[in-house]
Amino acid sequence: MDKNNHPSRTRNSRHKKNKYSFSKKIAFLSVFAISFILVCGGVYATYAMQHQPKEASKLEEDDQYEQKEAALLEKIRKDQNQEEFKTTEQEKTDGSIQTLIYEPVAADSIPQLPTIKTELTGLIDVAQKNSPKETAIKLIGYVKRVKINEQVISYQPVVETYTWDQEKKDWSEKTEQGKNTAFVNQKTKQPLSLQDIFISEANVLAVQQVVQQKLLSESPDGNAIIDDILNMPSISLDGTAFTYYSDKISLGLPENPTGKKEITLSYKEIAGYVNPEFIDVSSIKDALPNPLDPDKKYISLTFDDGPNPETTPRLLDILKEKGVKATFFMLGQNVVKHESVVKRVAEEGHEVASHSYSHPQLTGVDAQTVKEEVQNTDKAIYHAIGKLPTDFRPPYGAVNKDVAAIIGKPIIQWSVDSQDWQSHNAQAIIKRIDDTAYNDTIVLMHDIHPETVDAVSTVIDHLRGAGYEILPSKELLGKKAKPLHMYYGSKDERPVQ
């Protein structure tokens, strides 16, 4: 038997082949399994890398939004709790818009609260309509309270809009304030009134003069409209609309030739006629002269009935040489004739005031005549120097309450009468003033008399020798003289009866 074909060797050979083939299959399957696992693991790893950070980022963003939302709401509520007056919170959520409204609890402290609430509601409605619907919005409506001073509190509707900024991951803020501000008098708990600010009709009449002058000054041709301005209805404490500010006031105007419906005056322009308790006192700082020194003596020289083309210029020369400022109460009929003299009086720093037009006794004529005497002189002086006279001396000192109301200016009387109109003697005039002058007085003279002009230089020397400082009457009275009152000196003020 051939040894290579031995049956046992043949079986062994097949067995080895089968064993080798099986091992190869096992190895292949192992490699395949490992490769499959690696591929799957890679796919899973790739998937995990792609999706897990997004989910984590989303969670982080949500958490960040919630934290900043909570912080914002906490700040809003804390700010409202710190207000000096208590409020109640009303919350409403509509989709992505959350609205918080804070209403004052003590509603009776704000008489105008219904009006404020109406405007606040309107502001919120507009904010809601203009807000994007897909973005988180917080609308905060409240009444802003500001203490202007010890006597005035202001209230104003305010809406704050907070919008979530996805890129910045934070809230952006926008504030909208109402157009109307309510001012409340803390003494009366009533809306602030012109009565609070101006106190009296006398002060309002003084302000009327400032308004008239301002309208004329701002007009390209004041002379063309002066009649309408002088006849414009007066400001009244009850019937005049106004807008209050801490440093100024806007007053509603009746129909007038300028077309202006309101005029704004700084308190500095009307410093002598406003109640300092109801304004920012710093706004009138230095607007009024310092009070007169109680340790000094003061006197004012005033001259009536001019101007006169002969005597008034000579008097002006003397006053200029002596460095004295005086007050000239002029007659309108003389102003018209001698405008150049009037201009010189004003240009040299003296006060130009009114003494009527033709020197009648105003208490003995009708109201229309009084009005014409005053207005015609106003027009004459305005035409001469571009300014209305603010002070008035009635002829013979004759005045009553009705006449004073028509005049509408402070009434400047006198306390020392030189009697130059009677003596027509320079030495007599000098002696009369020497004998009767005393502190805080107003001296009456007339610049139409040559003898008066002859006496003035010596009068000034004697007064200064006696320790007097000579001031024009407006300065002696502290620039605070008001209509319906008459003045004999800075300490002698009397309501016209």
Side-chain angles (χ1 to χ4, degrees), residues 326-390:
T327 303
F328 290 77
F329 290 95
M330 299 184 177
L331 293 176
Q333 62 187 8
N334 289 338
V335 171
V336 172
K337 297 174 187 176
H338 311 297
E339 284 191 358
S340 62
V341 180
V342 182
K343 289 178 182 178
R344 182 182 169 189
V345 171
E347 288 169 355
E348 293 186 4
H350 305 287
E351 181 187 359
V352 177
S354 176
H355 192 39
S356 80
Y357 193 84
S358 61
H359 208 278
Q361 181 169 320
L362 298 178
T363 54
V365 298
D366 58 67
Q368 182 60 32
T369 301
V370 174
K371 182 178 179 180
E372 289 173 358
E373 286 284 329
V374 174
Q375 289 193 355
N376 288 339
T377 307
D378 284 351
K379 289 188 288 184
I381 291 175
Y382 177 79
H383 189 267
I385 64 174
K387 291 184 178 179
L388 295 169
T390 57

Side-chain angles (χ1 to χ4, degrees), residues 298-325:
Y298 299 92
I299 200 164
S300 178
L301 300 182
T302 66
F303 299 91
D304 287 11
D305 293 352
N308 178 286
E310 302 297 330
T311 54
T312 304
R314 189 158 64 91
L315 172 60
L316 290 172
D317 291 339
I318 296 169
L319 294 175
K320 187 174 184 179
E321 178 188 349
K322 295 293 185 180
V324 169
K325 304 300 180 188

